[in-house]
Amino acid sequence: MTDVRTDDHRPRKRVFIRTYGCQMNVYDSDRMADVLRPLGYGLAASADDADLVVLNTCHIREHASEKVYSELGRLRDAKSERRAAGGDLTIAVAGCVAQAEGEEIVKRQPAVDIVVGPQAYHRLPELLAEAERKAAIGRAGKRLPGAGVLDTDFPADSKFDHLPAPQGIRAGSAFLSIQEGCDKFCTFCVVPYTRGAEYSRPAAAVLAEARQLAAAGAVELTLLGQNVNAYHGEAADAAGAWSLARLVRAIADIAGIARIRYTTSHPRDMDDDLVAAHGSVPQLMPYLHLPVQSGSDRILEAMNRRHGRDLFLRLVDRLRAARPDLALSSDFIVGFPGETDADFDDTMRLVAEVGFAQAYSFKYSRRPGTPGAALDGQVPEAVKSARLAALQALLGQQARAFNESKAGLTVPVLFAETGRKPGQVVGKTPWLQSVHADGPERLIGRIVETRLVTGHANSLTGEIVTRSLEAAA
Ligand code: 5AD
Ligand code: SF4
């Protein structure tokens, strides 16, 4: 969970945006802030000093959506207190819970003023105006014409056509959304329902935004999409349709862009050209998040992943042939319906065979409306917990070993923020590991040569090479 908060000046109104879930949501929260800025909304540091609170929600697992309802309970209390004191608090629910549950949210928590799906953020100004009108009617003692203002349509055109230019460069790094939605329909996943059909932004628009971000000081771009390597921007010239590989090469040609990353990928969409780009484009960082979910052919089939264990293992070989130091990350689900001990062993064997630099792993969470929720053979909670613990122990060992294997190297680190200890800065290696080093704040947003000294479970300790300190003076 991340909170968008900064404040340079005191605008007329303040919004606090709380972001749950994936990087797509982090990006969308920045875009909502961009939409609200012209209405006079600055960013508040917390809900306590906000006029408007937006919860940008995640629906991917059950506990993610339950957290939203408990937060809404707290906000309802805050709203009542404000009203008792003659003020008000506007509450908006955005993101995938908004999309999936729509009016249910207002029924369950009537204090909510606005429910807005991920495709409709450009309509926030209108929704706010309507919510304010309804609140005024309510204050005048008249019956409310239905609480809550709802927009969860999937419009024919893209929200990108309506949103203002992005401003979200953080310490030299920016997200660039190039693709949304998903047509894969994995049987456990809500994304095709909450984010809609797969859509690729035209390459010309993506490249224009990349140039704008570079001119504004971005040195690292992370290309975002729910299924980013399915990217197929419309044909812009004689060379035909744009693939992700072609887009990566074009972005690498933009002056100032030193690092390119992309996330999240599907193994089925890693074409030869993209694999080759990992070897031939130096700006493409040697890190790839490639969810596999399971190592069992039977479970992969039941998940509708459209590939087997062997395709994944061969793909890893091809990627490593192109880029031998590639760090691999993945997502895993344990306890999918019907998963036996033997299936789980297949997952453990796949992990042992590949060796991941880091990974995310989850217990299967039954999501209403997905085909998986209706399957027989739901796995008991205790079995899921035991499998998750075993998998995480192995993944944890691998992550530590990967970090330790980099000790002794001197590598470029992009510093992103100050550390917990005074005088410390924290940045990322090319393999997306966190590095803590003693150094001045002026290094934030810069790529600086750093000697990696010690690898830990989740990070490394480093020392900034003296000559890069001098160059940054
Ligand atoms: N249960 C558990 N994990 C899930 N994920 C998606 N849906 C579910 C679910 N129903 C995980 C997948 C995906 C990641 C973003 O979240 O591993 O890759
Ligand atoms: Fe969900 Fe599967 Fe699409 Fe990923 S590829 S967003 S897991 S449906």
Side-chain angles (χ1 to χ4, degrees), residues 203-472:
V206 171
L207 290 172
E209 193 170 316
R211 282 188 210 100
Q212 235 178 18
L213 288 165
V219 294
E220 177 178 76
L221 293 183
T222 301
L223 311 181
L224 283 186
Q226 247 92 37
N227 211 175
V228 73
N229 59 341
Y231 180 81
H232 56 271
E234 70 198 25
D237 55 35
W242 284 76
S243 63
L244 180 59
R246 190 175 169 206
L247 197 59
V248 164
R249 286 194 295 268
I251 291 173
D253 284 340
I254 298 174
I257 299 300
R259 293 182 163 201
I260 303 171
R261 304 181 183 278
Y262 62 88
T263 198
T264 286
S265 310
H266 193 291
R268 269 289 296 267
D269 293 320
M270 291 299 301
D271 63 22
D272 289 342
D273 202 15
L274 187 55
V275 172
H278 278 276
S280 62
V281 180
Q283 291 90 338
L284 188 55
M285 290 291 99
Y287 172 94
L288 179 61
H289 182 65
L290 194 60
V292 62
Q293 316 294 358
S294 168
S296 153
D297 279 335
R298 233 172 48 81
I299 295 300
L300 286 168
E301 165 116 46
M303 287 176 164
N304 191 32
R305 291 290 292 176
R306 303 157 193 239
H307 70 80
R309 157 193 189 93
D310 200 53
L311 179 137
F312 186 82
L313 292 172
R314 300 292 75 78
L315 176 56
V316 168
D317 290 344
R318 283 161 57 215
L319 283 160
R320 285 184 168 153
R323 179 83 203 218
D325 70 337
L326 187 75
L328 282 165
S329 158
S330 201
D331 289 340
F332 296 90
I333 296 177
V334 299
F336 186 80
E339 188 187 71
T340 62
D341 285 343
D343 294 317
F344 177 64
D345 285 347
D346 284 345
T347 299
M348 293 292 275
R349 284 193 301 111
L350 178 135
V351 172
E353 201 170 317
V354 172
F356 290 93
Q358 74 103 47
Y360 303 91
S361 43
F362 314 99
K363 289 191 253 186
Y364 171 68
S365 168
R366 204 169 174 174
R367 307 309 289 128
T370 60
L375 289 177
D376 291 337
Q378 299 288 330
V379 175
E381 199 55 29
V383 175
K384 285 186 201 169
S385 298
R387 288 180 187 163
L388 188 66
L391 176 60
Q392 290 188 337
L394 179 57
L395 290 167
Q397 279 166 21
Q398 292 190 343
R400 178 182 277 276
F402 181 75
N403 290 342
E404 287 171 354
S405 76
K406 298 298 179 194
L409 298 182
T410 295
V411 302
V413 170
L414 172 55
F415 284 97
E417 57 191 355
T418 52
R420 270 194 224 124
K421 296 190 192 139
Q424 243 189 10
V425 280
V426 184
K428 295 283 188 198
T429 68
W431 306 284
L432 209 62
Q433 300 149 293
S434 288
V435 181
H436 306 252
D438 287 334
E441 260 184 59
R442 67 169 187 277
L443 299 185
I444 291 171
R446 297 205 191 197
I447 297 175
V448 178
E449 287 296 309
T450 304
R451 197 171 74 83
L452 305 177
V453 180
T454 320
H456 312 287
N458 301 310
S459 66
L460 289 122
T461 309
E463 276 171 10
I464 290 157
V465 174
T466 321
R467 73 187 131 73
S468 34
L469 260 181
E470 283 158 7

